[in-house]
Amino acid sequence: METELSKRLGIEHAIFGFTPFPAVAAAITRAGGLGVLGAVRYGAADDLARDLDWMQEHTGGRPYGLDVVMPAKKVEGVSEADIEAMIPPAHRQFVAETLAKHGVPELAEGEASGWRITGWMEQVARGQLDVAFDYPIALLANALGSPPADVIERAHAHDILVAALAGSAHHARRHRDAGIDIVVAQGYEAGGHTGEIASMVLTPEVVEAVAPLPVLAAGGIGSGEQIAAGLALGAQGVWLGSLWLTTEEADLHSRALTRKLLAAGSGDTVRSRSLTGKPARQLRTEWTDAWDDPHSPGTLPMPLQGLLVAEAVSRIQKYEVDALLGTPVGQIVGRMNSERPVQAVFDDLTAGFERAIDRINRIAGRA
């Protein structure tokens, strides 16, 4: 599965694996792809440095990347406390009532919320980059549009390629004009923040819109046959995220959540604003249903919604409240029905890719 882009990055397979878990990212890199560590969960730069040190030790000198969340536009002089103060009391009351309805215990006195979205704050993301640029990362990806111009320039000064996710050809052109090196065409089927155009339509539109920039196909991809389809549509690789959640190296801290993922079908996800304030595909639960109910106060814009629900999400996760327990995941969850090492997933992907190529060669009369 070599392409011009994979050769440029020095990876065996044109598979880019996004994950919040260092062990998974390192395993993806060792398997011949490019592991991309998600930085949004790191509130402290020291924590990110610790895990990048670990990545250095466990990737065998092979390339890996980092994914940050940094808006192109910002508001100066606004702190997290300022943003917290903008949350209406009615929304806080709705969260409290929903948790009480399901008997979710409080956190212990003095226990801080373990799930925060401080990584969405630009000042935090810039602190992460101050750390990351001290490491030999090969790729910097931004999940929220094009990063600011000075960040792109700084990455290029370190010989780091910059990627950005796009949900439409219009978004992709803006990335191209901003100086992005790689566009990730993320279809409707994807987990997390996603637009409304399906991958089969989106990928060739983006390829045409930004040519000759390389494009990665993303959204609903979980087999080698689907990788072959993405490359046939003009992509130079694939960006996979959800598929790694049920690998043995993943650290979800919840057997209950792993069981829910393994049991879920492709129709068991929903695009909901309940987690961050922007539409994000995730497991459908009574939590997402509560926010979509017409009697709810409605979700708040990013980053208010994420700050509002941070403690609630921590409580749901800690006490494994099954009815409310969920996670961002794409429609490919229907194929994620066993726990396997990352290498086993790669073996299946490469075997499926070979089957697809053999099938096309037979159809074309070349075999």
Side-chain angles (χ1 to χ4, degrees):
M1 285 185 279
E2 283 189 337
T3 64
E4 291 181 14
L5 180 61
S6 68
K7 292 175 182 177
R8 181 178 178 183
L9 285 164
I11 58 177
E12 182 180 357
H13 304 298
I15 297 174
F16 296 69
F18 165 78
T19 173
F21 307 117
V24 176
I28 292 168
T29 285
R30 293 196 304 271
L34 189 94
V36 182
L37 179 64
V40 71
R41 68 190 183 97
Y42 294 96
D46 289 347
D47 292 338
L48 177 60
R50 176 202 64 214
D51 282 355
L52 289 177
D53 284 338
W54 189 93
M55 290 279 293
Q56 280 292 106
E57 296 171 4
H58 292 83
T59 48
R62 295 182 177 186
Y64 61 90
L66 188 73
D67 179 278
V68 298
V69 178
M70 178 177 285
K73 297 179 180 179
K74 63 181 179 179
V75 179
E76 299 283 1
V78 178
S79 68
E80 184 176 338
D82 294 330
I83 296 174
E84 287 264 16
M86 300 177 189
I87 298 173
H91 282 73
R92 295 191 185 278
Q93 181 64 26
F94 178 76
V95 169
E97 290 174 353
T98 304
L99 296 177
K101 176 182 176 181
H102 292 275
V104 183
E106 298 276 355
L107 296 176
E109 185 175 352
E111 182 178 359
S113 169
W115 188 88
R116 298 293 284 173
I117 62 156
T118 51
W120 297 100
M121 309 290 289
E122 184 182 355
Q123 62 268 33
V124 175
R126 285 189 177 275
Q128 293 168 348
L129 292 177
D130 289 339
V131 169
F133 286 137
D134 287 334
Y135 292 82
I137 60 174
L139 176 73
L140 175 66
N142 190 47
L144 199 64
S146 303
D150 67 295
V151 171
I152 298 173
E153 292 173 5
R154 193 175 173 193
H156 287 164
H158 285 81
D159 294 324
I160 297 169
L161 296 180
V162 181
L165 277 64
S168 70
H170 174 67
H171 293 157
R173 292 188 193 97
R174 290 196 308 197
H175 294 334
R176 176 201 60 197
D177 295 343
I180 295 297
D181 304 293
I182 302 166
V183 176
V184 182
Q186 180 171 273
Y188 171 83
E189 308 95 324
H193 296 116
T194 178
E196 299 183 351
I197 304 174
S199 299
M200 185 64 71
V201 174
L202 179 66
T203 300
E205 284 187 353
V206 171
V207 168
E208 181 178 351
V210 301
L213 282 186
V215 172
L216 302 179
I221 299 174
S223 72
E225 288 85 351
Q226 290 170 308
I227 293 174
L231 299 187
L233 293 173
Q236 288 201 31
V238 292
W239 178 274
L240 309 182
S242 298
L243 192 64
W244 317 110
L245 289 173
T246 53
T247 57
E248 292 180 359
E249 292 88 346
D251 187 14
L252 288 177
H253 298 295
S254 172
R255 292 304 304 170
L257 181 53
T258 298
R259 287 194 296 270
K260 291 188 76 169
L261 288 169
L262 294 173
S266 57
D268 293 327
T269 68
V270 63
R271 286 172 76 244
S272 169
R273 297 177 183 268
S274 60
L275 191 61
T276 68
K278 285 184 177 290
R281 185 171 297 283
Q282 53 199 283
L283 279 180
R284 181 177 180 178
T285 66
E286 292 191 33
W287 176 258
T288 60
D289 286 349
W291 283 101
D292 290 337
D293 190 286
H295 295 99
S296 84
T299 56
L300 298 170
M302 180 185 286
L304 296 178
Q305 183 71 17
L307 293 172
L308 167 66
V309 305
E311 182 181 320
V313 171
S314 286
R315 289 165 60 185
I316 292 166
Q317 292 176 346
K318 176 178 179 178
Y319 299 110
E320 297 190 330
V321 182
D322 193 79
L324 304 179
L325 187 62
T327 186
V329 69
Q331 292 180 332
I332 198 62
V333 70
R335 295 182 64 95
M336 296 158 49
N337 49 25
S338 66
E339 291 183 82
R340 299 177 296 164
V342 166
Q343 183 62 60
V345 174
F346 259 81
D347 292 342
D348 278 355
L349 292 175
T350 54
F353 181 81
E354 291 172 357
R355 287 194 300 269
I357 297 304
D358 288 344
R359 186 180 302 120
I360 294 301
N361 282 334
R362 288 197 301 273
I363 292 171
R366 292 193 293 265

